Amino acid sequence: MSPAIVWKCVPFHQLTLDQLYRLLQIRQEVFIVEQTCPYLDTDNKDQQALHFWAEQQGQIVGYTRLLPKGISYTDFASIGRVLTHASFRGTGLGKELMIRSIQETKKQFPSVGIKISAQSYLKRFYEELGFIKSSDEYLEDDIPHIEMILK
């Protein structure tokens, strides 16, 4: 039996230095190194965000950044920086992470819709969670993306 996964949701100002370091580290591992995409990850949105993650034995294995209305989108809250550690892909953790992230976003930012910028190849994954495509495809950091809204 594998060790339990612990879920955490913390506003930026309550993150410990160790938590912040580990969150930024895994974001760099996945988005910059693994996807070979040099971009500026620290975009001045983290300070307004709720940081939501799953950890197992102190290792972050899944992460999302939950943003209130007006930060990424004028009329929508947003879920971004969605990632699952490579060793946990294919286990269902990514889907559970998104389901829990949607629930937490609705709880923290009630009466507001949710909009995401999804990598295009994940369109079906997000559609299975109730999102619908709301834009044409565009490049973000040289990766094809689409905007999607939770119905």
Side-chain angles (χ1 to χ4, degrees):
M1 189 165 145
S2 60
I5 290 179
V6 177
W7 296 90
K8 298 187 178 187
C9 185
V10 179
F12 181 83
H13 67 278
Q14 290 180 8
L15 289 169
T16 67
L17 289 176
D18 182 60
Q19 288 170 330
L20 178 61
Y21 184 88
R22 290 185 298 129
L23 295 175
L24 293 174
Q25 183 179 40
I26 193 165
R27 283 173 25 179
Q28 290 176 26
E29 284 175 19
V30 173
F31 298 123
I32 297 170
V33 176
E34 184 181 314
Q35 294 182 358
T36 59
C37 181
Y39 79 106
L40 187 59
D41 179 48
T42 52
D43 58 3
N44 291 310
K45 294 180 182 180
D46 287 310
Q47 297 91 323
Q48 294 91 30
L50 292 169
H51 298 271
F52 187 79
W53 73 93
E55 65 179 59
Q56 186 179 66
Q57 294 185 305
Q59 177 188 13
I60 296 171
V61 296
Y63 170 84
T64 59
R65 179 173 75 173
L66 314 180
L67 293 166
K69 176 177 94 167
I71 305 299
S72 287
Y73 302 103
T74 304
D75 297 320
F76 294 91
S78 184
I79 300 170
R81 298 293 197 264
V82 179
L83 67 83
T84 304
H85 189 278
S87 63
F88 281 79
R89 293 188 194 133
T91 66
L93 180 70
K95 187 171 188 175
E96 183 178 0
L97 172 67
M98 275 307 296
I99 290 168
R100 288 175 179 259
S101 295
I102 290 166
Q103 291 170 342
E104 191 66 30
T105 302
K106 287 179 176 181
K107 176 182 160 191
Q108 297 290 334
F109 314 118
S111 305
V112 178
I114 300 172
K115 189 174 195 176
I116 62 172
S117 176
Q119 291 185 8
S120 297
Y121 83 95
L122 291 169
K123 178 179 178 266
R124 185 172 169 177
F125 171 78
Y126 288 113
E127 285 175 337
E128 290 173 0
L129 294 166
F131 286 89
I132 55 171
K133 181 181 170 186
S134 63
S135 78
D136 291 331
E137 189 173 81
Y138 58 93
L139 286 179
E140 184 175 311
D141 302 313
D142 289 327
I143 298 172
H145 280 72
I146 53 172
E147 289 182 353
M148 301 186 83
I149 296 172
L150 187 64
K151 27 178 193 178

